[in-house]
Amino acid sequence: MHARITVAEAAQAAAEVGEKARVELIAPFVEAAARVIQQECGERVTRGQLHRVRSPQTSNEVSVLIAITGGVAGLVIYSMSEQTAKEFASRMIGEPVREFDAMPQSAIAELANMITGQAGIALERNGFPSDMSPPVLLLGKGSSIATLNLTRLVIPLVVSFGEFNIDIAIKEV
């Protein structure tokens, strides 16, 4: 078991990542997201244009933040519009979601948890055993993540009903 660190400490580690992003640290998240979205929601994903963001604020209405510690340290943030989140939740729950209340919020947090769990298994296989924090759901565009600006690699995954972004700021420890 690795020492537990706070989300703030993970954010600090992520802030030190700078412009480098190693494919063996990033690919497990993209591959896990594509697999989980296909299995849980019946959606195939295509990858949008990668870009970097340096901001302490979220860029979408619904974001799930997970801190990662151990062999790698940093943050992964899954984000989407509220409408896209409702559609993901509808597919996971098996019934239409009209309000983004407790049940669909829980479904989105669980989607992020499943993706991160599978990515963690792949990271461990690649020699980076890591622990993940429980998911933190942030609602509202522009929610502040931390007091520091993080440079995050943003990987948009496009599905038939919207975009699911993965923001990654992790580094090898």
Side-chain angles (χ1 to χ4, degrees):
M1 183 78 113
H2 303 287
R4 297 268 180 209
I5 67 171
T6 66
V7 171
E9 290 167 330
Q12 181 60 43
E16 296 165 5
V17 171
E19 294 299 311
K20 295 190 316 184
R22 292 177 47 192
V23 72
E24 66 267 26
L25 302 181
I26 305 301
F29 293 93
V30 178
E31 292 163 3
R35 190 169 46 254
V36 169
I37 290 169
Q38 168 71 42
Q39 290 169 345
E40 297 299 318
C41 304
E43 279 290 310
R44 292 209 180 277
V45 302
T46 56
R47 197 178 79 204
Q49 184 64 44
L50 299 168
H51 60 282
R52 291 191 182 280
V53 170
R54 183 174 178 85
S55 170
Q57 295 169 327
T58 59
S59 54
N60 272 307
E61 298 162 324
V62 177
S63 300
V64 183
L65 178 139
I66 297 178
I68 301 170
T69 61
V72 295
L75 301 172
V76 61
I77 302 164
Y78 305 97
S79 67
M80 66 215 82
S81 70
E82 185 176 313
Q83 189 56 46
T84 300
K86 284 187 207 176
E87 187 60 38
F88 271 120
S90 291
R91 290 169 184 237
M92 292 177 73
I93 296 167
E95 60 186 56
V97 169
R98 301 196 195 311
E99 295 295 319
F100 196 64
D101 54 18
M103 179 69 83
Q105 288 175 19
S106 179
I108 294 302
E110 185 54 28
L111 180 66
N113 217 21
M114 287 187 285
I115 292 167
T116 308
Q118 287 195 22
I121 292 167
L123 283 170
E124 186 157 352
R125 241 184 277 125
N126 292 344
F128 304 104
S130 302
D131 292 321
M132 283 72 175
S133 73
V136 175
L137 192 66
L138 301 173
L139 301 177
K141 187 174 185 174
S143 295
S144 188
I145 297 167
T147 57
L148 48 105
N149 286 339
L150 297 175
T151 298
R152 306 183 308 266
L153 177 64
V154 180
I155 303 125
L157 299 180
V158 180
V159 295
S160 67
F161 50 85
E163 217 173 73
F164 179 89
N165 290 328
I166 306 172
D167 294 25
I168 302 176
I170 60 174
K171 68 172 187 168
E172 181 179 356
V173 175

